[in-house]
Amino acid sequence: MASGLWAHSVNALGVRHDLVDHLRGTAAMAAEFAEVFGAGRVAAYVGLAHDTGKGGCPWQAGLVRAEANGGRVVDQHGRSIDHKLAGTWLAARRAGLGLLSMAILGHHGGLGDRPGLVKAVARAEGPDRDAVQEAIARVAAMVPEIFPDPMPRIPSWALPPAEPCVVELLLRMVFSALVDADYLDTAKHFSGQSRPMPVRLSELVQVYERNRRDYLDARLTSSDEKALRVDAIRTEVYEQVVAAASQPRGIFPFPAPTGAGKTIAAGGFAVHHAAQHGLARVIVAVPFLSITEQNASVYRQLFGDEHVLEHHSGVDVDELGSSGRWQRLAAENWDAPVVVTTTVQLFESLFSRKPSAMRKLHRLAGSVIVLDEVQSLPDSLLLPILGVLRHLSEHFGTTVLLASATQPEFFGLEIFQGIGRRDVIARPQPLYDRLRRVRFEWRCDPKPTFGQIAEDVEGERQVLAIVNTTADAAELHRLIEARDTEGPVLHLSTRMAGGHRRAVLQEIGARLAEGQPVVVVSTQLVEAGVDLDFPVVYRAFAPAEALLQAAGRCNRNGLLDEGRVVVFDPVDGSVKGPAMVYGPALDVTRSFYGPGRDPDRLDLLRDYYTTRYAVNNIENSGAGARIQELRAVFDFPKVAAMFTMIDEHTVPVVVRYGDDAEQEDLRARVLGPDPVEPWVYRRLQPYLAALPERLAVRAVAEGLATVLVGDPTKSGSGRLYEWCGDYGTRGIEFSYPNPEDYIW
């Protein structure tokens, strides 16, 4: 029977959403989501109370008017009605939830700060008291549980003297459970369909093992003794990792050399660990889109396509057919057994304040998080990142796998002291020794010129040269292209459109597989996790982890007795660029590595990271320390503003590449009078290159670019540029006249 109070307007069947049904439906789902971390009753209560303010006469009358005119819910004078105050007051005053009542206050606009909560409660007890109490009384007549007895109990681990950041994370997770439940119950009203129920990761062990055997059988096409030796080592790694999966939940460092089969082993760890502990899903986060797509392709073959959600800006879930309905829903809240995403998506969501970004966070509880290429996490943000990983592990039933060939020394930092470290590989150094497939050569004293490097590269049949900046990549590519190489000279950098880079990577892979000659000049984007196998790699001097990651593109499959990695320090290379990107890591590397001191010695690597973190003073200064201070005082807007993993100086630029007809259609949609739907921007991804913002501004002034979206007079986020100049094999070629202004 309908209560006569409404939560939402009529659906396609002409039926309004009953408010009592909505409150109880949201409460039930929020409780289910939060029960994983012991906060089911708290989440149930905020779900029950969140829309209590809609019970007031002004809001109910406003809903009727909104249905008639198609507008927003406002009072008779056209003013907005804050329906969040009543529930916020109930949670703060009647349920004793204190700061957790911020979840209700922010469930539409986003989490605020403590002063904002104080002001809201004061309004509910002051000028808005009559409206608040009238709404509460009308709802309580049908939902008496909004006056709780007994009171919802906050988990004991979040009570004093708990660290403030632990309580802050609990609030984020309760907020996520509330917002997701609210979205889902509302969507059910308008669509008439319940959320799909995907299988749990713990149910996929047999599927994974069967598909893994088929996958490996399909790849074992070589009888070469060297290749078989590498495959045998990969099998040993997998067996060690699966054995380690039986350990209790915690944080697992997974150091393994490049080419050791980390992607497959990480999936095997996740599915076996999930079966052991009843975990629901694995979230795999990687630093670059190219690796995301690569890993997602592998996991679709191993877990089954229907169980894998690939969620990042390069995937257009809105264009999936009806069979892809679950992917569209899961992309919003990660309700899938396997999620492959980017590190940026994961952590910027974790430190966001917006409901749309945060509704998926509760899915991290009771899950396995695999951080692939974990060495790519920025030093400046390590403190909040490691802090939240620790608390997820200790209080939310989450296991974290830290995978990298160049494993950072996180456990030497104070933020990880006393944590339950669980080793995956008991003795990693012998594994590195057995999988050593390259010889390092050092050309740093005297320093060569790019011209000399180009001359050396000319004599190589298949070779990859990696440099530190887009400017250096363009210059070295020009010099090599002018020489008489046997095969094509290809280029990879962020100055190229995403689709262009993918096409070049496919061409490189094909030429390598067929034994054809090829020379590739690239920036760092080719290093982490990209599955290429060159006999020779040249690498401009960089921090230790970058040198070792570059070596991972050399003799990757062990088909040669020994590959060659030539580390060179170009006298005419960009100086300021690497320093801006790498900071003190470059100087620390110089003090640890050189002839006879190769970066695949784990003792040196540990000392390198320890020294680097001490030099950077990452636990006591900088953005990370400030973010932790802001988290401790529950200032969600400032935390969200400060936590950014994307270089703020880089802006997206639409270039002329690929399908002209599609690009014109997308451009017209962007410039048209109608609101631009998210799928349009996702579809634009293959046509986007990146430029430093200062360079883009200068290009506009010189008539080489225009501002497609955003205010041309203001800098900052939200601007989309269009390139009007030439676009070629090296992408956008446009540089600062001052080499000191070069940027990665």
Side-chain angles (χ1 to χ4, degrees):
M1 180 181 294
S3 67
L5 298 178
W6 312 110
H8 300 104
S9 56
V10 295
N11 57 20
L13 299 176
V15 177
R16 289 182 182 145
H17 196 184
D18 186 87
L19 179 58
V20 173
D21 290 346
H22 177 53
L23 296 181
R24 287 184 170 146
T26 301
M29 267 192 287
E32 174 194 337
F33 298 155
E35 192 60 43
V36 180
F37 48 92
R41 290 194 57 207
V42 170
Y45 184 79
V46 297
L48 198 67
H50 80 289
D51 271 356
T52 301
K54 290 184 176 181
C57 292
W59 200 93
Q60 292 291 312
L63 179 66
V64 174
R65 286 192 296 271
E67 278 185 345
N69 59 31
R72 297 181 303 112
V73 175
V74 295
D75 67 15
Q76 58 185 345
H77 304 294
R79 297 172 299 201
S80 62
I81 303 170
D82 190 347
H83 71 273
K84 303 183 296 295
L85 283 182
T88 302
W89 182 87
L90 279 168
R93 294 297 197 222
R94 296 303 298 267
L97 293 182
L99 290 168
L100 295 187
S101 56
M102 291 173 69
I104 295 177
L105 184 62
H107 78 271
H108 281 305
L111 287 171
D113 55 22
R114 190 184 302 211
L117 175 62
V118 172
K119 290 178 182 176
V121 173
R123 280 173 52 206
E125 295 176 339
D128 292 336
R129 181 181 182 281
D130 290 345
V132 164
Q133 293 302 319
E134 182 237 4
I136 290 173
R138 298 185 77 198
V139 172
M142 286 167 283
V143 190
E145 4 4 340
I146 63 172
F147 296 123
D149 184 21
M151 304 278 269
R153 299 176 65 179
I154 294 172
S156 58
W157 47 261
L159 295 173
E163 292 180 42
C165 287
V166 171
V167 184
E168 191 255 16
L169 182 57
L170 174 62
L171 174 50
R172 288 181 181 275
M173 298 293 269
V174 169
F175 178 75
S176 170
L178 167 63
V179 169
D180 195 25
D182 187 20
Y183 272 83
L184 289 170
D185 192 73
T186 303
K188 180 181 178 182
H189 163 68
F190 284 109
S191 69
Q193 295 177 303
S194 299
R195 64 187 175 110
M197 299 297 290
V199 303
R200 296 172 64 85
L201 178 66
S202 54
E203 300 172 27
L204 295 177
V205 173
Q206 293 181 348
V207 171
Y208 190 88
E209 289 298 341
R210 182 180 64 249
N211 290 341
R212 172 178 166 270
R213 287 191 295 271
D214 293 344
Y215 179 82
L216 293 179
D217 287 345
R219 292 190 60 173
L220 289 176
T221 56
S222 173
S223 59
D224 184 276
E225 183 179 342
K226 301 184 187 71
L228 291 174
R229 181 178 64 86
V230 172
D231 286 328
I233 294 173
R234 289 169 177 166
T235 299
E236 288 180 31
V237 169
Y238 185 82
E239 290 172 351
Q240 282 195 59
V241 168
V242 169
S246 63
Q247 296 183 65
R249 286 178 278 192
I251 296 185
F252 293 73
F254 178 21
T258 54
K262 285 194 296 296
T263 300
I264 295 176
F269 172 89
V271 74
H272 283 276
H273 190 72
Q276 184 79 21
H277 300 287
L279 305 183
R281 68 190 51 79
V282 56
I283 293 105
V284 181
V286 296
F288 306 116
L289 279 183
S290 56
I291 322 173
T292 311
E293 295 160 350
Q294 177 180 287
N295 285 10
S297 175
V298 172
Y299 285 140
R300 278 194 291 269
Q301 295 178 67
L302 297 175
F303 286 104
D305 185 69
E306 69 276 18
H307 299 135
V308 178
L309 168 70
E310 187 178 355
H311 184 217
H312 54 75
S313 57
V315 174
D316 187 6
V317 295
D318 294 301
E319 289 300 291
L320 294 168
S322 58
S323 62
R325 178 178 175 269
W326 79 268
Q327 287 103 325
R328 291 197 297 274
L329 292 175
E332 298 169 351
N333 69 358
W334 287 1
D335 193 7
V338 182
V339 178
V340 183
T341 188
T342 60
T343 311
V344 170
Q345 173 82 240
L346 171 62
F347 287 110
E348 291 200 348
S349 295
L350 254 169
F351 292 98
S352 178
R353 59 179 291 265
K354 294 295 186 183
S356 57
M358 297 179 69
R359 62 178 295 197
K360 55 184 171 282
L361 296 187
H362 68 90
R363 304 289 179 189
L364 301 178
S367 296
V368 181
I369 299 175
V370 174
L371 294 180
D372 199 5
E373 306 297 350
V374 71
Q375 80 284 346
S376 299
L377 294 175
D379 285 8
S380 61
L381 298 175
L382 275 183
L383 193 57
I385 287 174
L386 297 183
V388 82
L389 291 177
R390 174 174 190 156
H391 294 147
L392 282 170
S393 170
E394 291 178 334
H395 303 298
F396 294 87
T398 305
T399 280
V400 181
L401 186 71
L402 305 171
S404 174
T406 52
Q407 186 72 214
E409 192 58 21
F410 293 154
F411 290 88
L413 296 170
E414 185 179 350
I415 191 72
F416 263 19
Q417 288 302 300
I419 201 168
R421 171 179 177 151
R422 321 246 181 237
D423 287 314
V424 169
I425 304 294
R427 298 177 60 244
Q429 185 62 62
L431 177 62
Y432 279 75
D433 294 340
R434 292 171 63 198
L435 271 176
R436 184 174 285 121
R437 302 181 298 272
V438 304
R439 177 182 77 254
F440 281 88
E441 299 175 8
W442 299 83
R443 295 193 58 188
C444 301
D445 187 17
K447 296 182 177 183
T449 65
F450 275 138
Q452 291 171 320
I453 296 300
E455 184 177 356
D456 289 351
V457 166
E458 179 186 3
E460 304 289 350
R461 192 166 186 273
Q462 292 181 332
V463 59
L464 168 66
I466 305 173
V467 293
N468 292 319
T469 69
T470 54
D472 284 357
E475 176 61 18
L476 184 57
H477 185 267
R478 280 191 208 96
L479 291 170
I480 299 174
E481 198 175 37
R483 307 189 73 88
D484 187 22
T485 58
E486 184 180 353
V489 184
L490 304 179
H491 176 275
L492 288 167
S493 80
T494 55
R495 296 291 178 87
M496 300 160 61
H500 189 179
R501 290 198 304 272
R502 281 195 290 274
V504 171
L505 280 168
Q506 289 172 358
E507 181 180 356
I508 295 168
R511 297 191 72 86
L512 290 173
E514 296 166 9
Q516 297 179 9
V518 63
V519 176
V520 179
V521 180
S522 177
T523 57
Q524 301 96 314
L525 65 83
V526 78
E527 284 177 346
V530 178
D531 192 5
L532 297 175
D533 188 356
F534 285 86
V536 181
V537 170
Y538 279 68
R539 181 56 167 100
F541 195 85
E545 67 273 17
L547 301 181
L548 198 50
Q549 290 292 336
R553 306 323 113 195
C554 182
N555 196 22
R556 185 176 181 85
N557 294 315
L559 300 178
L560 306 174
D561 288 333
E562 194 174 53
R564 290 174 54 229
V565 176
V566 181
V567 180
F568 65 99
D569 195 359
V571 66
D572 47 351
S574 302
V575 176
K576 191 174 181 180
M580 292 169 66
V581 175
Y582 298 134
L586 208 59
D587 293 330
V588 177
T589 300
R590 293 185 194 281
S591 67
F592 278 93
Y593 298 102
R597 295 173 292 139
D598 294 343
D600 54 1
R601 279 182 49 190
L602 297 186
D603 57 340
L604 281 182
L605 195 64
R606 282 192 296 271
D607 292 344
Y608 157 76
Y609 276 119
T610 300
T611 304
R612 168 174 150 182
Y613 294 154
V615 169
N616 283 339
N617 194 21
I618 64 172
E619 293 196 275
N620 300 300
S621 65
R626 179 57 180 154
I627 287 170
Q628 289 295 83
E629 292 172 359
L630 293 168
R631 290 183 64 211
V633 296
F634 299 85
D635 194 332
F636 293 93
K638 286 184 180 176
V639 168
M642 283 199 69
F643 192 97
T644 175
M645 297 182 71
I646 299 176
D647 187 349
E648 64 181 352
H649 301 296
T650 299
V651 294
V653 183
V654 180
V655 300
R656 294 290 177 181
Y657 171 82
D659 190 329
D660 290 340
E662 181 182 48
Q663 194 171 133
E664 283 300 326
D665 175 64
L666 295 172
R667 188 178 185 278
R669 291 177 184 274
V670 168
L671 296 176
D674 299 325
V676 183
E677 297 181 65
W679 70 264
V680 175
Y681 289 115
R682 283 196 288 270
R683 190 80 72 76
L684 268 174
Q685 291 291 327
Y687 309 109
L688 294 182
L691 275 181
E693 186 176 26
R694 286 187 296 158
L695 200 55
V697 170
R698 196 186 119 210
V700 171
E702 296 183 12
L704 293 172
T706 60
V707 177
L708 204 60
V709 176
D711 187 342
T713 65
K714 297 179 180 178
S715 62
S717 60
R719 302 179 78 189
L720 176 64
Y721 291 80
E722 183 175 34
W723 187 250
C724 305
D726 293 335
Y727 182 87
T729 58
R730 289 184 287 267
I732 296 172
E733 292 199 59
F734 186 60
S735 303
Y736 292 117
N738 181 359
E740 287 298 299
D741 284 332
Y742 285 139
I743 192 169
W744 173 33

